[in-house]
Amino acid sequence: MENMALENLKTRRSVRNYSSRPVEQEKLDAILEAATYAPNGMGKQSPVIVLVQSPEILKKISKLNARVIGREIDPFYGASTVAIVFGNKASVPTWFEDACLVAGNLLNAAHAVGVDSCYVYRAKEVFSSAKGLALLKEWGLNENYVGVANCILGYGEGEVPQPAPRKPDYIKIV
């Protein structure tokens, strides 16, 4: 069956090497809007997305993320933008799942408009640290917001990875 949406889902890949080329505002707007249409518990729309493009703040968050894994690397691979998805633990019982669905929509929407992306972990650890909590406060968010995903966005350099074959027992029909 041919379908653009299904093809988009099957061809998106995590990119781990980025050029300095910024993502166009029109594309960012489309990506972020699509992310807000993710399914969510009780229709509460509890997640929040913080879009970071400031090189200084990107560097700060990258360093905090690297500190969590104990390595001096750039976990954001030089991407020009990171969309951080936060779940509100005080909102609905599905706050974490809701934020994960937003991140998934965000990554797939990026691919749909020709922007590369990668889901980078450790948002929870970064934004539960003293420096991370200070950033939340700066951004007008309280301690009920928990970092769920760092979705880096940009334009990859080099070859895009090929998909691994799907495992034969991925789907069970009963």
Side-chain angles (χ1 to χ4, degrees), residues 113-135:
V113 298
V115 174
D116 294 315
S117 65
C118 187
Y119 187 118
V120 177
Y121 294 86
R122 299 170 296 278
K124 179 181 180 187
E125 295 86 350
V126 166
F127 292 99
S128 61
S129 71
K131 290 180 179 182
L133 288 167
L135 285 170

Side-chain angles (χ1 to χ4, degrees), residues 2-74:
E2 281 191 46
N3 179 289
M4 290 283 291
L6 295 176
E7 192 62 25
N8 187 62
L9 293 170
K10 293 190 298 186
T11 58
R12 193 207 73 78
R13 294 288 163 265
S14 294
V15 173
R16 293 179 178 86
N17 187 24
Y18 289 83
S19 73
S20 59
R21 176 180 162 202
V23 179
E24 299 84 348
Q25 191 61 50
E26 179 182 34
K27 288 183 178 184
L28 282 174
D29 292 344
I31 293 165
L32 294 169
E33 180 182 22
T36 69
Y37 281 86
N40 60 88
M42 298 184 271
K44 295 292 184 186
Q45 302 178 37
S46 64
V48 169
I49 304 164
V50 173
L51 189 72
V52 178
Q53 294 181 293
S54 157
E56 297 81 26
I57 297 174
L58 268 168
K59 188 174 182 178
K60 180 187 283 189
I61 296 168
S62 175
K63 283 185 176 187
L64 291 172
N65 195 301
R67 187 176 300 149
V68 172
I69 55 176
R71 293 174 52 202
E72 289 194 31
I73 61 167
D74 175 12

Side-chain angles (χ1 to χ4, degrees), residues 62-158:
S62 175
K63 283 185 176 187
L64 291 172
N65 195 301
R67 187 176 300 149
V68 172
I69 55 176
R71 293 174 52 202
E72 289 194 31
I73 61 167
D74 175 12
F76 297 156
Y77 306 103
S80 62
T81 302
V82 62
I84 308 162
V85 182
F86 292 91
N88 182 347
K89 66 183 179 185
S91 60
V92 292
T94 58
W95 66 269
F96 178 77
E97 292 84 354
D98 294 350
C100 288
L101 288 165
V102 165
N105 265 27
L106 199 148
L107 297 169
N108 287 314
H111 181 58
V113 298
V115 174
D116 294 315
S117 65
C118 187
Y119 187 118
V120 177
Y121 294 86
R122 299 170 296 278
K124 179 181 180 187
E125 295 86 350
V126 166
F127 292 99
S128 61
S129 71
K131 290 180 179 182
L133 288 167
L135 285 170
L136 283 180
K137 190 174 181 179
E138 257 182 64
W139 300 335
L141 300 174
N142 63 40
E143 65 279 349
N144 288 328
Y145 286 92
V146 178
V148 173
N150 297 296
C151 299
I152 57 175
L153 303 168
Y155 294 100
E157 285 190 325

